[in-house]
Every structure is written in structure tokens, then in C-alpha cells.
Amino acid sequence: MKRQLLSAAVLLLATVLVLGGCMTLASLWPSVDPPINSESSLLMVEAGEGVPSESGVLYNTNFTGWAPWVENEKGQIIPFKVFNDARLDTAYFAENLSPGIYTLKGFIHVYTDYGKLPEDAMPSYEPFEDNPYHVKQFFPVDYEVIIELEEDLVDTLGRYYISYEWIGGADADTDDRWKVNEDTVSIVSKPNDRRILRIAKNWATSNWKLWNEKNPETAADE
């Protein structure tokens, strides 16, 4: 009886460790939907705060955040999901896209206008939603980046560096303190940079494995 109890305890412990290990590994990589069919493609963008050689993750919170401004052939803005990887700046990706022409026109900054925020409401980072308390600022790149996305492919629009200043930030108390001062914005474009694909090739959840079969790059840490 004691041996049976011990065996059961060992089995339970092993199960917890395995499940815990899986959950830990899964948390290292972003959640992604699986491909809906063999033609589905995925598009990625890397963006960082700063300048080349001195950049880091973008400051994306519930009151100020950035997102790629990418449109399809119909002029519709494509929603991207966001993720910060220790080997990247900030990663953006949009899965299950149809093949076609996609244009990166610039970047969207969305901030909370506290004068429009309902009392006791908690703002959230949702740059592609039309929340009544959000204000969106559109900052174009010097030259639009156009890609013809093929079917059954993971591809990228490149890497970008954004420098900016808020009009007030955390030290201010105006309703629009998280608005970006347009005169301070600088965007450096590296449309041929494919680092994000090499990093993403390491992401090993079951859904990312499906996408990485469509990723033509070789996995690397930089």
C-alpha cells in the first residue's frame, strides 16, 4: 500500500513538473492562432524605441502605446499583436493573412485622454480598437514599404527605430500628458532587416511550429 501511494505521488509530481515546464516554455513565446489553411500567411514587424545600435522595447502600456500602420490593398488597417522578446526590441505579428499587397505607411501612437475616460474606468492598450478615451496619432515613414505577400509564407516588413517625446508624461497632470509631441518624432527604417524572422524561428509552441514551417529563415539568436 505504501509503495502504491509512493508511486502515485511520484507520478503526480512528474505530471506537475511536465505541465509546469510546458507552461513555462509556452509563456516564453507569444500566443498565436494556427494557420487556417495551407495558403495562410503571417506578417511581422520589429520596432524599437531609440536609434540604431541603441534601441529597446517600445513603451506600450494602458495609457500610451505604438503599433504598425499597415494597410492592405483595400486601404484597411491590419491589426497586429504585440510581444516583447529578450532578443528583440518589440515584435508585432498578424497571422492568417491572405496573399496580396501590404503597405507599411508608418506607425500609430495611441494615448489615453483622461478627459474622455469614464470615472473608475481602467484604460487598456488596444491600438486597433475605437475606444472613446483613446486618441490616435499617425506618423508616416519617409518612404512607404510595400510587400507582395505570397501564400503559405511568413515574411517581414523590416525593422524600425522610433525616437519621440511625450508632451508631459508621468510628471504632468494634463488630460493629454501622454500625447506624443509631433515635432520630436523620428523614424529610421530598415525594411530589409529580417532579424525578427530568425528570432521567431526559435518560438516552439505547437502553433508557432506550424507557422515556422512557412518561415524561410534559419533560427538564430540575433
Side-chain angles (χ1 to χ4, degrees):
M1 183 66 176
K2 289 183 179 179
R3 181 174 297 176
Q4 290 177 338
L5 291 174
L6 180 60
S7 299
V10 170
L11 179 60
L12 177 61
L13 177 60
T15 302
V16 170
L17 288 174
V18 169
L19 291 176
C22 291
M23 287 187 290
T24 300
L25 287 175
S27 66
L28 294 175
W29 303 299
S31 174
V32 65
D33 295 332
I36 58 175
N37 56 50
S38 61
E39 297 181 356
S40 297
S41 295
L42 183 147
L43 197 53
M44 307 191 81
V45 177
E46 182 180 4
E49 181 175 336
V51 296
S53 77
E54 295 182 9
S55 63
V57 298
L58 284 166
Y59 197 69
N60 292 329
T61 68
N62 62 331
F63 41 78
T64 173
W66 293 87
W69 173 13
V70 177
E71 296 184 1
N72 62 15
E73 297 175 57
K74 298 179 180 179
Q76 299 167 323
I77 294 179
I78 303 300
F80 278 75
K81 297 178 180 177
V82 62
F83 180 71
N84 292 328
D85 185 294
R87 291 162 293 186
L88 292 166
D89 288 338
T90 297
Y92 296 94
F93 61 93
E95 69 267 61
N96 286 311
L97 297 179
S98 301
I101 303 297
Y102 293 87
T103 303
L104 186 140
K105 303 179 77 69
F107 285 84
I108 303 168
H109 176 255
V110 58
Y111 70 91
T112 295
D113 184 329
Y114 287 92
K116 301 177 180 179
L117 187 66
E119 188 175 354
D120 298 327
M122 178 61 69
S124 59
Y125 167 82
E126 293 177 311
F128 299 104
E129 299 296 329
D130 292 320
N131 294 317
Y133 53 81
H134 274 158
V135 179
K136 295 179 182 178
Q137 299 174 276
F138 291 81
F139 296 100
V141 289
D142 290 337
Y143 300 96
E144 294 181 351
V145 180
I146 301 172
I147 189 171
E148 184 172 356
L149 184 63
E150 300 177 10
E151 65 180 40
D152 194 29
L153 184 68
V154 173
D155 210 339
T156 179
L157 283 156
R159 186 178 182 186
Y160 301 84
Y161 305 85
I162 305 174
S163 300
Y164 64 95
E165 294 179 6
W166 298 295
I167 65 169
D171 295 330
D173 58 3
T174 59
D175 287 343
D176 63 350
R177 54 189 174 273
W178 294 111
K179 179 180 179 180
V180 163
N181 182 343
E182 289 93 348
D183 295 334
T184 67
V185 176
S186 172
I187 302 175
V188 177
S189 303
K190 300 288 185 181
N192 296 320
D193 191 306
R194 299 176 67 81
R195 181 177 78 149
I196 192 171
L197 298 186
R198 298 191 296 272
I199 301 299
K201 193 83 169 188
N202 294 293
W203 298 346
T205 60
S206 57
N207 286 347
W208 275 111
K209 287 179 180 179
L210 296 175
W211 283 113
N212 277 323
E213 292 177 0
K214 305 168 180 275
N215 184 343
E217 295 296 315
T218 300
D221 291 329
E222 59 181 26

